Amino acid sequence: MNGSGFTLPEIYCPFPVSTFNDRPHPATAEAARELDALIDELDGGASLVRDAAAGVFLADFAGRLHPDVSSQGLALVLMSHLVFYGHEAWIEQVDAPGHHLSPLELNTVYDRALEVFDGAATAPSDTLVAHLLEPFGNLVQASKKPESCVRIRIALEGYLRAQVWERDVRSRREMPSLATYQAMRRNTSSTVLYLELFPRFLDLDIPATLLDHPVVRQLQDMQANYTCWVNDIFSFEKEMQEDGALNLVFLLREARNLSWQQAVAAAAEMVEQEATDYLALKARLPRLGIPLTGALAELLDQQERWQAHCITYQQQAPRFSVTP
């Protein structure tokens, strides 16, 4: 039982945790030094990005999350996390009273940031978002795999444009429908983008036709749902203190007229059902003519381990603590 009068249920996780807390990537220390230098450059004497990175143990977490990727893969993991947490810190800053950007202004910021991601040089007048996407874009383009770059670019734009939707919902103080929230949450959290990066983290050659197979795509959506809903459960107590919070537990409570305890339990039931359905669909892949071997098997295995590691992480990171 916590101070709000409810008990968080145990989160169902059928995925294996094997290396999260005992074997960080051997290049973590060097990657952390490079990350620190980049953060200093991005902050320019302030502490916005540094505080965001500190709140999630960024270098240590990424090194333990992906202990077996190449050094280049680890750099991309770190940069993708920095894009998310740095962008989130920036948008919270511009949403503060007196700094609010209109949807048109925010889309203009994203237009320019995407130009930088595509290779345009940054200018002193550019926002932090553009400066974050410059090194991220360089790492993505370094693979010389145009098809993969296009997919990542599409997922990145989906993440950025979803922020405009989320800001609009929060400003209107209106809860979206449960179905709309579930569909948009995968993008607002950058989970779609992160899953799209996995073949690059792992240097896997998976044909686009396989990644775009409707069953494989459904598996990826279910992975994203699982991640987002677990995140919502762990963070909702902290979000109760925010103005205009948007969270699965909140939506279930309103849509079904539940108590807080009932709503968090309902969210946990959704998590368990999604994981169960995912495993059942994955088991049927060979019967559907999709061999569960090679790069696809490695991709799904690594994503499942990531799910379990994320649960461990969210129970430890200051980001999710309700303590001031």
Side-chain angles (χ1 to χ4, degrees), residues 25 27 66-77 200-203:
H25 194 288
H66 295 284
D68 301 315
V69 300
S70 66
S71 296
Q72 294 80 6
L74 180 62
L76 185 57
V77 169
R200 296 291 299 280
F201 295 158
L202 302 165
D203 195 25

Side-chain angles (χ1 to χ4, degrees), residues 26-56:
T28 299
E30 178 60 29
R33 286 191 288 271
E34 294 178 3
L35 185 71
D36 281 343
L38 176 59
I39 288 173
D40 284 342
E41 181 181 338
L42 291 168
D43 271 339
S47 63
L48 183 69
V49 180
R50 183 163 299 282
D51 289 347
V56 292

Side-chain angles (χ1 to χ4, degrees), residues 98-109:
H99 299 87
H100 186 73
L101 295 179
S102 70
L104 179 60
E105 291 170 327
L106 192 54
N107 271 313
T108 299
V109 167

Side-chain angles (χ1 to χ4, degrees), residues 12-161:
Y12 176 72
C13 182
F15 310 126
V17 178
S18 58
T19 59
F20 180 72
N21 283 316
D22 56 16
R23 189 167 62 88
H25 194 288
T28 299
E30 178 60 29
R33 286 191 288 271
E34 294 178 3
L35 185 71
D36 281 343
L38 176 59
I39 288 173
D40 284 342
E41 181 181 338
L42 291 168
D43 271 339
S47 63
L48 183 69
V49 180
R50 183 163 299 282
D51 289 347
V56 292
F57 307 126
L58 185 54
D60 182 68
F61 169 59
R64 294 178 188 276
L65 184 69
H66 295 284
D68 301 315
V69 300
S70 66
S71 296
Q72 294 80 6
L74 180 62
L76 185 57
V77 169
L78 279 168
M79 196 63 234
S80 64
H81 280 276
L82 192 65
V83 166
F84 174 76
Y85 292 115
H87 169 270
E88 187 177 64
W90 173 83
I91 206 165
E92 287 178 359
Q93 184 182 68
V94 300
D95 267 352
H99 299 87
H100 186 73
L101 295 179
S102 70
L104 179 60
E105 291 170 327
L106 192 54
N107 271 313
T108 299
V109 167
Y110 293 149
D111 288 342
R112 172 57 185 160
L114 288 166
E115 288 177 358
V116 171
F117 175 84
D118 291 336
T122 53
S125 59
D126 281 330
T127 64
L128 174 62
V129 185
H131 287 283
L132 284 165
L133 292 192
E134 184 176 38
F136 181 53
N138 291 339
L139 286 171
V140 169
Q141 298 293 338
S143 71
K144 308 299 183 184
K145 296 180 179 179
E147 188 176 75
S148 172
C149 293
V150 169
R151 297 176 67 89
I152 292 169
R153 208 288 194 173
I154 291 170
L156 172 63
E157 181 162 8
Y159 161 60
L160 295 176
R161 303 303 183 190

Side-chain angles (χ1 to χ4, degrees), residues 189-211:
S189 65
S190 82
T191 309
V192 171
L193 171 60
Y194 199 74
L195 290 172
E196 193 65 62
L197 286 164
F198 260 80
R200 296 291 299 280
F201 295 158
L202 302 165
D203 195 25
L204 297 175
D205 286 322
I206 305 180
T209 52
L210 180 56
L211 289 172

Side-chain angles (χ1 to χ4, degrees), residues 176-224:
S177 71
L178 185 59
T180 298
Y181 177 74
Q182 290 174 250
M184 295 299 293
R185 180 73 171 104
R186 296 192 289 265
N187 274 302
T188 61
S189 65
S190 82
T191 309
V192 171
L193 171 60
Y194 199 74
L195 290 172
E196 193 65 62
L197 286 164
F198 260 80
R200 296 291 299 280
F201 295 158
L202 302 165
D203 195 25
L204 297 175
D205 286 322
I206 305 180
T209 52
L210 180 56
L211 289 172
D212 289 331
H213 189 290
V215 176
V216 176
R217 178 53 56 195
Q218 178 62 22
L219 288 171
Q220 297 297 284
D221 286 347
M222 295 166 87
Q223 287 269 22

